Amino acid sequence: ATQNEGPDEPAVTYPSMLWPDTTANLLKLRNQANDGWLTIGNLEEVHLGLAALAAENEFVTTQKLKGAGLLLRFNDTGASGEEWAIRSTGGNFEIVRNDGTEGSPTWTTQVRVSDTGIEVGIEAGFVGPISQTVLSAAVDSNGKPAFISMGTGLSVDIAATATPVRIAFASGSADYVGIIDEDTSISSLTASNTNYLYAERNPGTGAITLGKTTVMPVHSYAAPPHASGQYWYSISQRTMYLSNGSDTWTEKQLVFLGEAVTDGSEVTSVVNYALNGHFVGSQVTPLPGNATVFSQNHNLGVVPDHAMVEFVCLSAEHGYSAGDVVRHISIYGSSSAWYGSPMTLVVNRLSCKACTGESYTTVQSMSTGKATTLTAGNWAYRFRADRGW
């Protein structure tokens, strides 16, 4: 039988016959059962779009892979028996390991390269210096996180397109980095309540979903009482759990991002939790007056293990130079008595506050060693706080 070329399938077909399909611009081969066509390649591509070898394992032209798929697959036949591959998926370039079988592979991402950078240990996990926190996100002019904002009605907006939100999910001995890289939102918040906003990572796929709860999460060493919807992060186990309401804690890869307060119809305020579990406040000048309470919001979402108020020298005096930081301020009770007691500091889940003494805020002079009253306009104060885990 002759070969056939044309826009229509040949009227009479035979097994293994070739047909250049000019409608689809594809070269097709009739299968052995003579009941269908196998596509060999594209008539308009060099080498029909197939890999061409000039010598063993040496390609002579660039090959293209369209859509998500494996670029190369390496089967290790040695003692380890591991299988690796390189793939393009979701606009990212990844090195993956097969944690399944050769016939039924399960590809686990080890390295991901995207337009936002290179990440190592994406799915395999790694232990980082800071976990269970947002690592980086959009910030305001003071360098404070500002990726959560009030949305329409009972919703909040999450800004992530311009500056991706990178999150470290703690899971026992490993951390898993997840990225939100498109603007999104959390909707259907509970009215007239405080909503605690979270990101949850699927351990199998790495997919991140956003949600909320009205039950305040607990971060502690000892488990709180069981309650429906209660999340508990075990500091010692580095694991987030969810209570079934009675007797069981279920492991989760979940990080709380912030809070949203609502009235009956809309969000009235939002809190972005501090990045990396660390807060350094902006400098405020002049110093507060006598018997004055002053504060800053640290927004850690937990009571910090470590907190302090710092006084920053702006203009040199008493042996201090501009830029010097004094951290252990004491209260000078009167013009003649030196008490040497530390400044009272109070902390809670979202803020730090302190109170000046009834008379003078003092330091020791770096020139004379004597108690010295600070000149309010020559100094600024700021708070510093850390989770401690």
Side-chain angles (χ1 to χ4, degrees):
T2 62
Q3 303 297 344
N4 292 264
E5 178 183 31
D8 301 316
E9 179 179 330
V12 180
T13 59
Y14 299 90
S16 300
M17 72 180 294
L18 292 171
W19 167 41
D21 179 353
T22 57
T23 298
N25 287 320
L26 298 175
L27 178 60
K28 298 181 178 179
L29 178 73
R30 194 69 174 175
N31 64 16
Q32 290 299 305
N34 196 21
D35 60 4
W37 296 96
L38 305 174
T39 297
I40 296 177
N42 194 307
L43 293 171
E44 296 184 343
E45 297 281 349
V46 176
H47 304 299
L48 300 175
L50 307 176
L53 295 176
E56 184 178 0
N57 297 327
E58 184 178 330
F59 291 107
V60 298
T61 186
T62 300
Q63 305 301 314
K64 293 189 296 184
L65 180 68
K66 296 183 178 180
L70 300 180
L71 302 176
L72 293 173
R73 186 171 175 176
F74 306 93
N75 185 264
D76 183 355
T77 58
S80 68
E82 290 189 347
E83 187 175 24
W84 294 77
I86 298 173
R87 72 180 178 185
S88 174
T89 178
N92 302 318
F93 179 79
E94 297 180 343
I95 298 175
V96 295
R97 185 186 66 226
N98 184 6
D99 290 331
T101 64
E102 184 176 356
S104 182
T106 299
W107 299 108
T108 302
T109 306
Q110 306 299 304
V111 178
R112 176 180 296 149
V113 181
S114 68
D115 57 1
T116 59
I118 300 175
E119 297 160 81
V120 180
I122 306 302
E123 307 291 341
F126 68 98
V127 176
I130 300 294
S131 64
Q132 199 61 15
T133 182
V134 176
L135 298 171
S136 61
V139 297
D140 61 20
S141 58
N142 294 314
K144 301 300 183 291
F147 62 99
I148 305 174
S149 61
M150 292 184 288
T152 302
L154 292 171
S155 70
V156 292
D157 294 332
I158 307 295
T161 299
T163 303
V165 180
R166 289 182 171 85
I167 308 168
F169 296 87
S171 182
S173 61
D175 293 337
Y176 297 85
V177 174
I179 298 179
I180 305 172
D181 56 9
E182 293 183 355
D183 292 345
T184 184
S185 62
I186 303 176
S187 58
S188 300
L189 301 183
T190 302
S192 303
N193 218 313
T194 298
N195 291 258
Y196 301 92
L197 314 172
Y198 62 76
E200 182 173 4
R201 179 183 180 275
N202 184 307
T205 65
I208 295 176
T209 55
L210 300 176
K212 49 81 180 177
T213 178
T214 57
V215 180
M216 181 186 295
V218 175
H219 300 75
S220 63
Y221 288 93
H226 281 284
S228 179
Q230 178 67 67
Y231 286 97
W232 165 52
Y233 179 72
S234 170
I235 299 174
S236 58
Q237 299 177 53
R238 300 180 75 256
T239 302
M240 179 68 79
Y241 294 95
L242 174 62
S243 172
N244 68 348
S246 58
D247 57 4
T248 302
W249 294 102
T250 302
E251 290 188 21
K252 296 286 184 179
Q253 290 183 17
L254 185 146
V255 172
F256 282 89
L257 312 176
E259 304 174 10
V261 178
T262 61
D263 60 16
S265 60
E266 62 184 7
V267 176
T268 58
S269 65
V270 298
V271 172
N272 288 257
Y273 285 161
L275 304 179
N276 296 295
H278 177 69
F279 168 79
V280 178
S282 302
Q283 294 182 185
V284 179
T285 190
L287 298 184
N290 298 334
T292 300
V293 175
F294 57 108
S295 64
Q296 286 184 332
N297 293 329
H298 60 70
N299 291 340
L300 291 175
V302 298
V303 176
D305 279 359
H306 312 292
M308 67 179 69
V309 59
E310 298 180 330
F311 285 67
V312 182
C313 183
L314 304 178
S315 298
E317 68 170 353
H318 308 311
Y320 293 94
S321 300
D324 287 349
V325 177
V326 180
R327 290 178 173 166
H328 297 287
I329 301 295
S330 296
I331 306 305
Y332 189 34
S334 69
S335 59
S336 60
W338 169 251
Y339 297 118
S341 61
M343 178 172 290
T344 300
L345 179 64
V346 180
V347 295
N348 59 34
R349 290 181 55 256
L350 298 176
S351 69
C352 303
K353 63 181 177 180
C355 184
T356 58
E358 63 180 356
S359 183
Y360 304 101
T361 299
T362 67
V363 296
Q364 285 178 286
S365 169
M366 295 299 286
S367 301
T368 66
K370 296 181 179 180
T372 305
T373 302
L374 299 179
T375 302
N378 290 346
W379 295 78
Y381 72 83
R382 68 186 177 202
F383 287 86
R384 182 185 293 268
D386 290 281
R387 289 183 322 194
W389 43 269

